[in-house]
Amino acid sequence: MTTTGPTPPRMGVSSGEILSLFRDVPDGLTKSDVARLTGLSRTTVNQRLDGLLAAGLLVPGPEEARTRGRPAGQFVVDRTRGVLLVADIGATALRAAVCDLGGHVGIEREARADITAGPETILTIVEKLFAEILHDIRQPPEAVLGIGLDVPGPVDFASGRVISPPIMTGWDRFDIRGWFTGQYSCPVLVDKDVNAMAYGEQRLRYPDVPHLLMVKIGTGVGTGLIAGGQVHRGADGAAGDVGHIHVTVPDTAEPPVCRCGNTGCLEAYAGGWALVRDLREAGREVATVDDAVRLIRAGDPGAVRLARRAARILGGTIADMVNLFNPRVIAVCGQLAHTDELLFAGIREIVYRRSLPLATRNLQIVRSDLDPHAGVLGLAQLLVDGIYSPERVQELVDRATT
């Protein structure tokens, strides 16, 4: 068979690097394929594959695949040896799902949840949804090989704790990982929601684009950065927190107070909660960001005017990010991304006018293809990368062969 997906790794490759070749080719590879792609001898290939088979990381390809003309001796990654549980937690709702080891989503559940209710309340909801999902797929907690959660606040990725979040009352330095360790004996990953969304979008929709900017415009405003194909979290996990950048708006007599306590923040002008505030002040009966979106889509003059203003303000900050970061793709997600083309027209106008020509000549500004599922898909990809890291793979192989 001919394979074109994986890039040949360097000589003397590890078991983990060989497994990555199989991850890139879902239909599987033969021993001859591995020898050709790596340059390793037949004996070394046999040794590597024997270890991966013993560890349960590879399995023989399905019989039906061979009957369709594929050669015997085909091997594939075993995506059924366990499951992943993920929860994308937003400001007003959350989405929980189970995924296989290929990162594909199975059962998915949603729930309304106010992040300001605190970690115990929110994580109890997540835990209940996880239990229901495992019951539905008839899997015990022992089958869970990884748990991933994202939250709408700054996360110290190393410790998995939220640090001084502007809107997450009671979450500061709460031990999110520890909440799950009593019931599940697996790694627990915690990240900022837009980081997970950005990673899912890049891996699954733009795998050939190493520099991508995800902009979430929902209740608040945030961005996730993909640099060189990896999440760029910054030195302490605070990269991309643009919602609390101070902006100057000429037609404003006094900067509005933000939920973080400062004044003049980007999201205090252009976030979903700010639109709800302004629409109420204008006499509209709105309670949620979804209500505001419905008014905008219905063509309410006041709502449309506020949305256009928000788009121009957002465009100014995004233009600064384009000049600084030079992404190839800007993917926009969140409730306000679904106001037809109104928001995008305003953002594009300002970005292309204020950014450098070199930074915009190949720039795409698009609605996220994965929204609203980008979070759960991104978390699944992050977990799978961790489970199949070269170090982890070698550890499993050593344990199986000694």
Side-chain angles (χ1 to χ4, degrees), residues 30-117:
T30 65
K31 292 180 179 180
S32 297
D33 291 330
V34 175
R36 175 174 52 82
L37 289 166
T38 63
L40 296 175
S41 70
R42 190 85 175 181
T43 299
T44 302
V45 169
N46 287 338
Q47 291 173 343
R48 296 281 197 276
L49 295 188
D50 286 347
L52 292 169
L53 288 164
L57 297 168
L58 290 181
V59 292
E63 184 67 31
E64 59 268 24
R66 293 195 291 273
T67 62
R68 292 198 300 267
R70 293 193 177 96
Q74 195 97 356
F75 301 98
V76 297
V77 174
D78 185 3
R79 293 178 168 84
T80 66
R81 67 185 185 92
V83 298
L84 309 172
L85 292 174
V86 296
D88 175 25
I89 303 172
T92 59
L94 63 85
R95 187 184 304 269
V98 63
C99 307
D100 66 16
L101 294 185
H104 303 107
V105 174
I107 295 175
E108 192 174 89
R109 297 276 171 82
E110 294 182 59
R112 302 298 297 179
D114 184 352
I115 197 71
T116 63

Coordinates of all heavy atoms in Angstrom, one line a residue, residues 30-117:
T30 N 1.7 -1.8 7.6 CA 2.4 -3.1 7.7 C 3.8 -2.9 8.2 O 4.3 -1.8 8.3 CB 2.4 -3.8 6.3 OG1 3.3 -3.0 5.5 CG2 1.1 -3.9 5.7
K31 N 4.5 -4.0 8.5 CA 5.9 -4.0 8.9 C 6.7 -3.4 7.8 O 7.7 -2.6 8.1 CB 6.4 -5.4 9.3 CG 5.7 -5.9 10.6 CD 6.2 -7.3 10.9 CE 5.6 -7.9 12.1 NZ 6.1 -9.2 12.5
S32 N 6.4 -3.7 6.6 CA 7.2 -3.2 5.5 C 7.0 -1.7 5.4 O 8.0 -0.9 5.1 CB 6.7 -3.8 4.2 OG 7.0 -5.2 4.2
D33 N 5.8 -1.2 5.7 CA 5.5 0.3 5.7 C 6.4 1.0 6.7 O 7.0 2.0 6.4 CB 4.1 0.6 6.0 CG 3.1 0.2 4.9 OD1 3.5 0.2 3.7 OD2 2.0 -0.2 5.2
V34 N 6.5 0.4 7.9 CA 7.2 1.0 9.0 C 8.7 1.0 8.6 O 9.4 2.0 8.9 CB 7.0 0.2 10.3 CG1 7.9 0.8 11.4 CG2 5.5 0.4 10.7
A35 N 9.2 -0.1 8.1 CA 10.6 -0.2 7.7 C 10.9 0.9 6.6 O 12.0 1.5 6.7 CB 11.0 -1.6 7.2
R36 N 10.0 1.1 5.7 CA 10.3 2.0 4.6 C 10.2 3.5 5.1 O 11.1 4.3 4.8 CB 9.2 1.9 3.5 CG 9.3 2.9 2.4 CD 8.3 2.6 1.3 NE 7.0 2.3 1.8 CZ 6.1 3.3 2.1 NH1 6.5 4.6 2.0 NH2 4.9 3.0 2.6
L37 N 9.3 3.8 6.0 CA 9.2 5.1 6.6 C 10.3 5.5 7.5 O 10.6 6.7 7.7 CB 7.8 5.3 7.2 CG 6.6 5.3 6.3 CD1 5.3 5.1 7.1 CD2 6.5 6.6 5.5
T38 N 10.8 4.5 8.2 CA 11.8 4.8 9.3 C 13.2 4.5 8.9 O 14.2 5.1 9.4 CB 11.5 4.0 10.5 OG1 11.6 2.6 10.3 CG2 10.1 4.3 11.1
G39 N 13.4 3.6 7.9 CA 14.8 3.2 7.6 C 15.3 2.2 8.5 O 16.5 1.8 8.4
L40 N 14.5 1.7 9.5 CA 15.0 0.7 10.4 C 15.0 -0.7 9.8 O 14.3 -0.9 8.8 CB 14.0 0.7 11.6 CG 13.9 1.9 12.5 CD1 12.9 1.7 13.6 CD2 15.3 2.2 13.1
S41 N 15.9 -1.5 10.3 CA 16.0 -2.9 9.8 C 14.7 -3.7 10.2 O 14.0 -3.3 11.1 CB 17.2 -3.6 10.4 OG 17.0 -3.8 11.8
R42 N 14.5 -4.7 9.4 CA 13.4 -5.6 9.7 C 13.4 -6.1 11.1 O 12.3 -6.2 11.8 CB 13.4 -6.8 8.7 CG 12.2 -7.6 8.7 CD 11.1 -7.0 7.7 NE 10.0 -7.9 7.6 CZ 9.0 -7.6 6.8 NH1 9.0 -6.4 6.1 NH2 7.9 -8.4 6.7
T43 N 14.5 -6.5 11.6 CA 14.6 -7.0 13.0 C 14.2 -6.0 14.0 O 13.4 -6.3 14.9 CB 16.1 -7.5 13.3 OG1 16.4 -8.5 12.3 CG2 16.2 -8.0 14.7
T44 N 14.7 -4.8 13.8 CA 14.4 -3.7 14.8 C 12.9 -3.4 14.7 O 12.2 -3.1 15.7 CB 15.2 -2.4 14.5 OG1 16.6 -2.8 14.5 CG2 14.9 -1.3 15.5
V45 N 12.3 -3.3 13.5 CA 10.9 -3.1 13.3 C 10.1 -4.2 14.1 O 9.1 -3.9 14.8 CB 10.5 -3.0 11.8 CG1 9.0 -3.0 11.7 CG2 11.1 -1.8 11.2
N46 N 10.5 -5.4 13.9 CA 9.8 -6.5 14.6 C 9.8 -6.3 16.1 O 8.8 -6.5 16.8 CB 10.4 -7.8 14.2 CG 10.0 -8.3 12.8 OD1 9.0 -7.8 12.2 ND2 10.8 -9.1 12.2
Q47 N 11.0 -5.9 16.6 CA 11.1 -5.7 18.1 C 10.2 -4.6 18.5 O 9.5 -4.7 19.6 CB 12.6 -5.4 18.4 CG 13.5 -6.6 18.2 CD 15.0 -6.2 18.4 OE1 15.3 -5.0 18.4 NE2 15.8 -7.2 18.6
R48 N 10.2 -3.5 17.8 CA 9.4 -2.3 18.2 C 7.9 -2.7 18.2 O 7.1 -2.4 19.1 CB 9.6 -1.1 17.3 CG 11.0 -0.6 17.3 CD 11.2 0.3 18.5 NE 12.4 1.2 18.4 CZ 13.6 0.8 18.7 NH1 13.9 -0.4 19.1 NH2 14.7 1.6 18.5
L49 N 7.5 -3.4 17.1 CA 6.1 -3.7 17.0 C 5.6 -4.7 18.0 O 4.5 -4.7 18.5 CB 5.7 -4.2 15.5 CG 5.9 -3.1 14.4 CD1 5.4 -3.7 13.1 CD2 5.2 -1.8 14.8
D50 N 6.5 -5.7 18.3 CA 6.2 -6.7 19.3 C 5.9 -6.0 20.6 O 5.0 -6.4 21.4 CB 7.3 -7.7 19.4 CG 7.4 -8.7 18.3 OD1 6.4 -8.7 17.5 OD2 8.4 -9.4 18.1
G51 N 6.8 -5.0 21.0 CA 6.6 -4.3 22.2 C 5.2 -3.5 22.2 O 4.5 -3.5 23.3
L52 N 4.9 -2.9 21.1 CA 3.7 -2.1 21.1 C 2.4 -3.0 21.1 O 1.4 -2.7 21.7 CB 3.6 -1.3 19.8 CG 4.7 -0.1 19.7 CD1 4.7 0.5 18.3 CD2 4.3 1.0 20.7
L53 N 2.6 -4.2 20.5 CA 1.5 -5.2 20.6 C 1.3 -5.7 22.0 O 0.2 -5.9 22.5 CB 1.8 -6.3 19.6 CG 1.6 -6.0 18.1 CD1 2.3 -7.0 17.2 CD2 0.1 -5.9 17.7
A54 N 2.4 -6.0 22.6 CA 2.4 -6.6 24.0 C 1.8 -5.6 25.0 O 1.1 -5.9 25.9 CB 3.8 -6.9 24.5
A55 N 2.0 -4.3 24.7 CA 1.5 -3.2 25.6 C 0.0 -2.9 25.3 O -0.6 -2.1 26.0 CB 2.3 -1.9 25.4
G56 N -0.5 -3.5 24.2 CA -1.9 -3.3 23.8 C -2.1 -2.0 23.1 O -3.3 -1.6 23.0
L57 N -1.1 -1.4 22.6 CA -1.2 -0.1 21.9 C -1.5 -0.3 20.5 O -2.2 0.5 19.8 CB 0.1 0.7 22.1 CG 0.4 1.1 23.5 CD1 1.9 1.6 23.6 CD2 -0.5 2.1 24.0
L58 N -1.0 -1.4 19.9 CA -1.4 -1.8 18.5 C -2.1 -3.1 18.5 O -1.9 -3.9 19.5 CB -0.1 -1.9 17.7 CG 0.7 -0.7 17.3 CD1 1.9 -1.1 16.4 CD2 -0.2 0.3 16.6
V59 N -3.0 -3.3 17.5 CA -3.7 -4.6 17.4 C -3.6 -4.9 15.9 O -3.5 -4.0 15.0 CB -5.1 -4.5 17.9 CG1 -5.2 -4.4 19.4 CG2 -5.9 -3.4 17.2
P60 N -3.8 -6.2 15.5 CA -3.9 -6.5 14.1 C -5.1 -5.8 13.5 O -6.1 -5.6 14.1 CB -4.1 -8.0 14.1 CG -3.5 -8.5 15.4 CD -3.8 -7.4 16.4
G61 N -5.0 -5.4 12.2 CA -6.1 -4.7 11.5 C -7.3 -5.7 11.4 O -7.1 -6.9 11.4
P62 N -8.5 -5.1 11.3 CA -9.7 -5.9 11.2 C -9.7 -6.8 10.0 O -9.2 -6.5 9.0 CB -10.8 -4.9 11.2 CG -10.2 -3.6 10.7 CD -8.8 -3.7 11.2
E63 N -10.3 -8.0 10.2 CA -10.4 -9.0 9.1 C -11.1 -8.4 7.9 O -10.6 -8.6 6.7 CB -11.2 -10.2 9.6 CG -11.3 -11.3 8.5 CD -9.9 -12.0 8.3 OE1 -9.1 -12.0 9.3 OE2 -9.6 -12.4 7.2
E64 N -12.1 -7.5 8.1 CA -12.8 -7.0 6.9 C -12.0 -6.1 6.1 O -12.1 -5.9 4.9 CB -14.1 -6.3 7.4 CG -13.9 -5.1 8.3 CD -14.0 -5.6 9.8 OE1 -13.8 -6.8 10.0 OE2 -14.3 -4.7 10.6
A65 N -11.0 -5.4 6.8 CA -10.1 -4.5 6.1 C -9.2 -5.3 5.1 O -9.0 -4.9 4.0 CB -9.2 -3.7 7.0
R66 N -8.8 -6.5 5.5 CA -7.9 -7.3 4.7 C -8.7 -7.9 3.5 O -8.1 -8.0 2.4 CB -7.3 -8.4 5.5 CG -6.3 -7.9 6.5 CD -5.4 -9.0 7.1 NE -6.1 -9.9 7.9 CZ -6.3 -9.8 9.2 NH1 -5.9 -8.7 9.8 NH2 -7.0 -10.7 9.9
T67 N -10.0 -8.1 3.7 CA -10.8 -8.7 2.6 C -11.1 -7.6 1.5 O -11.5 -8.0 0.5 CB -12.1 -9.3 3.1 OG1 -12.9 -8.2 3.7 CG2 -11.9 -10.4 4.1
R68 N -10.9 -6.4 1.8 CA -11.1 -5.3 0.9 C -9.8 -5.0 0.1 O -9.7 -3.9 -0.5 CB -11.6 -4.0 1.5 CG -13.0 -4.2 2.1 CD -13.6 -2.8 2.4 NE -12.8 -2.0 3.3 CZ -13.0 -2.0 4.7 NH1 -13.9 -2.7 5.2 NH2 -12.2 -1.3 5.4
G69 N -8.8 -5.9 0.2 CA -7.7 -5.8 -0.7 C -6.4 -5.3 0.1 O -5.4 -5.2 -0.5
R70 N -6.6 -5.0 1.4 CA -5.4 -4.6 2.1 C -4.6 -5.8 2.5 O -5.1 -6.9 2.8 CB -5.8 -3.8 3.4 CG -6.5 -2.5 3.0 CD -6.6 -1.6 4.2 NE -7.1 -0.3 3.9 CZ -8.4 0.1 4.0 NH1 -9.2 -0.8 4.5 NH2 -8.8 1.2 3.6
P71 N -3.3 -5.7 2.6 CA -2.5 -6.9 2.9 C -2.6 -7.4 4.3 O -2.9 -6.7 5.2 CB -1.0 -6.4 2.6 CG -1.1 -4.9 2.9 CD -2.5 -4.5 2.5
A72 N -2.3 -8.7 4.5 CA -2.2 -9.3 5.8 C -1.0 -8.7 6.5 O -0.1 -8.1 5.9 CB -2.0 -10.8 5.7
G73 N -1.1 -8.7 7.8 CA 0.0 -8.1 8.6 C -0.2 -6.7 8.8 O 0.8 -6.0 9.2
Q74 N -1.4 -6.2 8.6 CA -1.7 -4.8 8.8 C -2.0 -4.6 10.3 O -2.6 -5.4 11.0 CB -3.0 -4.4 8.0 CG -3.2 -2.9 7.9 CD -2.7 -2.4 6.6 OE1 -2.1 -3.2 5.8 NE2 -2.9 -1.2 6.3
F75 N -1.4 -3.5 10.9 CA -1.7 -3.2 12.3 C -2.3 -1.8 12.4 O -2.0 -0.9 11.6 CB -0.3 -3.2 13.1 CG 0.3 -4.6 13.0 CD1 1.3 -4.8 12.1 CD2 -0.1 -5.6 13.8 CE1 1.9 -6.1 12.0 CE2 0.5 -6.9 13.7 CZ 1.5 -7.1 12.8
V76 N -3.1 -1.6 13.5 CA -3.7 -0.3 13.7 C -3.6 0.0 15.2 O -3.4 -0.9 16.0 CB -5.2 -0.3 13.3 CG1 -5.4 -0.5 11.8 CG2 -6.0 -1.3 14.1
V77 N -3.7 1.3 15.5 CA -3.8 1.7 16.9 C -5.1 1.2 17.6 O -6.2 1.3 17.0 CB -3.7 3.3 17.0 CG1 -3.9 3.7 18.5 CG2 -2.4 3.8 16.5
D78 N -5.0 0.6 18.7 CA -6.2 0.1 19.4 C -6.8 1.3 20.1 O -6.4 1.8 21.2 CB -5.8 -0.9 20.5 CG -7.0 -1.5 21.2 OD1 -8.1 -1.1 20.8 OD2 -6.8 -2.3 22.1
R79 N -7.9 1.8 19.5 CA -8.6 3.0 20.1 C -9.7 2.6 21.0 O -10.5 3.4 21.5 CB -9.2 3.8 18.9 CG -8.1 4.5 18.1 CD -8.7 5.3 16.9 NE -7.7 6.1 16.3 CZ -6.9 5.7 15.3 NH1 -6.9 4.5 14.9 NH2 -6.0 6.5 14.8
T80 N -9.8 1.3 21.3 CA -10.9 0.8 22.1 C -10.4 0.3 23.5 O -11.2 -0.3 24.3 CB -11.7 -0.3 21.4 OG1 -10.8 -1.5 21.3 CG2 -12.2 0.1 20.1
R81 N -9.2 0.4 23.8 CA -8.7 -0.1 25.1 C -9.0 0.7 26.3 O -8.7 0.3 27.4 CB -7.1 -0.3 25.0 CG -6.3 0.9 24.9 CD -4.9 0.6 24.8 NE -4.1 1.9 24.8 CZ -3.5 2.3 25.9 NH1 -3.7 1.7 27.1 NH2 -2.8 3.5 25.9
G82 N -9.7 1.8 26.1 CA -10.1 2.7 27.2 C -10.9 3.8 26.6 O -11.1 4.0 25.4
V83 N -11.4 4.7 27.5 CA -12.1 5.9 27.1 C -11.6 7.1 27.7 O -10.8 7.0 28.7 CB -13.6 5.7 27.4 CG1 -14.2 4.5 26.6 CG2 -13.9 5.6 28.9
L84 N -12.0 8.3 27.2 CA -11.6 9.6 27.8 C -12.9 10.3 28.2 O -13.9 10.2 27.4 CB -10.8 10.4 26.8 CG -9.6 9.7 26.1 CD1 -9.1 10.6 25.0 CD2 -8.6 9.4 27.1
L85 N -12.9 11.0 29.3 CA -14.0 11.9 29.7 C -13.5 13.3 29.6 O -12.5 13.7 30.1 CB -14.4 11.5 31.1 CG -15.1 10.1 31.3 CD1 -15.3 9.9 32.8 CD2 -16.4 10.0 30.5
V86 N -14.4 14.2 29.0 CA -14.0 15.6 28.8 C -15.2 16.4 29.2 O -16.4 16.0 29.0 CB -13.5 15.9 27.4 CG1 -12.2 15.1 27.1 CG2 -14.6 15.6 26.4
A87 N -14.9 17.6 29.7 CA -16.0 18.6 30.0 C -15.5 20.0 29.6 O -14.5 20.5 30.1 CB -16.3 18.5 31.5
D88 N -16.3 20.6 28.7 CA -16.0 22.0 28.3 C -17.0 22.9 29.1 O -18.2 22.9 29.0 CB -16.4 22.1 26.8 CG -16.3 23.5 26.3 OD1 -15.6 24.3 26.9 OD2 -17.0 23.8 25.3
I89 N -16.4 23.6 30.1 CA -17.2 24.4 31.0 C -17.1 25.9 30.7 O -16.0 26.5 30.6 CB -16.6 24.2 32.5 CG1 -16.6 22.7 32.8 CG2 -17.4 25.0 33.5 CD1 -15.9 22.4 34.1
G90 N -18.3 26.4 30.3 CA -18.4 27.8 30.0 C -18.9 28.7 31.1 O -19.1 28.2 32.3
A91 N -19.2 29.9 30.9 CA -19.7 30.8 31.9 C -21.1 30.5 32.3 O -21.5 30.6 33.5 CB -19.6 32.3 31.4
T92 N -21.9 30.0 31.4 CA -23.3 29.7 31.7 C -23.8 28.3 31.4 O -24.9 28.0 31.7 CB -24.2 30.7 31.0 OG1 -24.0 30.6 29.6 CG2 -23.9 32.2 31.4
A93 N -22.9 27.5 30.8 CA -23.3 26.2 30.4 C -22.1 25.3 30.3 O -21.0 25.8 30.2 CB -24.1 26.2 29.1
L94 N -22.3 24.0 30.3 CA -21.2 23.1 30.1 C -21.6 21.9 29.2 O -22.8 21.6 29.1 CB -20.6 22.6 31.5 CG -21.5 21.8 32.4 CD1 -21.5 20.3 32.1 CD2 -21.2 22.0 33.9
R95 N -20.6 21.3 28.7 CA -20.8 20.2 27.8 C -19.8 19.0 28.2 O -18.6 19.3 28.3 CB -20.5 20.6 26.3 CG -20.8 19.6 25.2 CD -20.4 20.1 23.9 NE -21.0 21.4 23.6 CZ -22.2 21.6 22.9 NH1 -22.8 20.5 22.5 NH2 -22.7 22.8 22.7
A96 N -20.4 17.9 28.5 CA -19.5 16.7 28.8 C -19.7 15.6 27.8 O -20.7 15.5 27.1 CB -20.0 16.2 30.2
A97 N -18.6 14.9 27.6 CA -18.6 13.9 26.5 C -17.6 12.7 26.8 O -16.7 12.9 27.6 CB -18.2 14.5 25.2
V98 N -17.8 11.6 26.2 CA -16.9 10.5 26.2 C -16.3 10.4 24.8 O -17.0 10.5 23.8 CB -17.6 9.2 26.6 CG1 -18.7 8.8 25.6 CG2 -16.6 8.1 26.9
C99 N -15.0 10.1 24.8 CA -14.3 10.0 23.5 C -13.5 8.7 23.5 O -13.1 8.2 24.6 CB -13.3 11.2 23.3 SG -14.1 12.8 23.5
D100 N -13.2 8.2 22.3 CA -12.3 7.0 22.2 C -10.9 7.5 22.1 O -10.6 8.7 22.2 CB -12.6 6.1 21.0 CG -12.4 6.8 19.7 OD1 -11.8 7.9 19.6 OD2 -13.0 6.3 18.7
L101 N -9.9 6.6 22.0 CA -8.5 7.0 22.0 C -8.0 7.6 20.7 O -6.8 7.8 20.5 CB -7.6 5.8 22.4 CG -7.8 5.4 23.9 CD1 -6.9 4.3 24.2 CD2 -7.7 6.5 24.8
G102 N -9.0 7.7 19.7 CA -8.7 8.5 18.5 C -9.1 9.9 18.7 O -9.0 10.7 17.7
G103 N -9.8 10.2 19.8 CA -10.3 11.6 20.0 C -11.7 11.8 19.4 O -12.1 12.9 19.4
H104 N -12.4 10.7 19.0 CA -13.7 10.8 18.4 C -14.7 10.8 19.5 O -14.7 10.0 20.4 CB -13.9 9.7 17.5 CG -12.9 9.6 16.4 ND1 -12.0 8.6 16.3 CD2 -12.7 10.4 15.3 CE1 -11.2 8.8 15.3 NE2 -11.6 9.9 14.6
V105 N -15.7 11.8 19.4 CA -16.7 11.9 20.5 C -17.8 10.9 20.3 O -18.3 10.7 19.2 CB -17.3 13.4 20.4 CG1 -18.4 13.5 21.4 CG2 -16.2 14.4 20.7
G106 N -18.2 10.3 21.4 CA -19.3 9.4 21.5 C -20.5 10.1 22.0 O -21.0 11.0 21.4
I107 N -21.0 9.7 23.2 CA -22.1 10.4 23.8 C -21.7 11.7 24.4 O -20.6 11.9 24.9 CB -22.6 9.5 25.0 CG1 -23.2 8.2 24.4 CG2 -23.7 10.2 25.8 CD1 -23.6 7.2 25.5
E108 N -22.6 12.7 24.2 CA -22.4 14.0 24.7 C -23.6 14.5 25.4 O -24.7 14.3 25.0 CB -22.1 14.9 23.4 CG -21.6 16.3 23.7 CD -21.2 17.0 22.5 OE1 -22.0 17.7 21.9 OE2 -20.0 16.9 22.0
R109 N -23.4 15.3 26.5 CA -24.4 15.8 27.3 C -24.2 17.3 27.6 O -23.0 17.7 27.8 CB -24.6 15.0 28.7 CG -24.9 13.6 28.5 CD -26.4 13.4 28.4 NE -26.7 12.0 28.0 CZ -26.8 11.0 28.9 NH1 -26.5 11.2 30.2 NH2 -27.1 9.8 28.5
E110 N -25.3 18.0 27.7 CA -25.2 19.5 28.0 C -26.0 19.8 29.3 O -26.9 19.1 29.6 CB -25.7 20.3 26.9 CG -24.9 20.2 25.6 CD -25.5 21.1 24.5 OE1 -25.6 22.4 24.8 OE2 -25.9 20.6 23.4
A111 N -25.6 20.8 30.0 CA -26.3 21.3 31.2 C -26.1 22.8 31.3 O -25.0 23.3 31.0 CB -25.8 20.5 32.4
R112 N -27.1 23.4 31.8 CA -27.0 24.8 32.2 C -26.2 24.9 33.5 O -26.5 24.1 34.4 CB -28.3 25.5 32.4 CG -29.2 25.5 31.2 CD -28.6 26.2 30.0 NE -28.4 27.6 30.2 CZ -27.9 28.5 29.3 NH1 -27.5 28.0 28.2 NH2 -27.8 29.8 29.6
A113 N -25.3 25.8 33.6 CA -24.5 25.9 34.8 C -23.8 27.2 34.9 O -23.1 27.6 34.0 CB -23.4 24.8 34.8
D114 N -24.1 27.9 36.0 CA -23.5 29.3 36.2 C -22.2 29.1 36.9 O -22.1 28.6 38.0 CB -24.5 30.1 37.1 CG -24.0 31.5 37.3 OD1 -22.9 31.8 36.9 OD2 -24.7 32.3 37.9
I115 N -21.1 29.5 36.2 CA -19.7 29.3 36.7 C -19.5 30.0 38.1 O -18.7 29.5 38.9 CB -18.7 29.8 35.7 CG1 -17.3 29.2 36.0 CG2 -18.7 31.3 35.7 CD1 -17.2 27.8 35.7
T116 N -20.3 31.1 38.4 CA -20.2 31.8 39.6 C -20.7 31.0 40.8 O -20.6 31.4 41.9 CB -20.8 33.2 39.6 OG1 -22.2 33.0 39.3 CG2 -20.3 34.0 38.4
A117 N -21.4 29.9 40.5 CA -21.9 29.0 41.6 C -20.8 28.4 42.4 O -21.0 27.8 43.5 CB -22.9 28.0 41.1

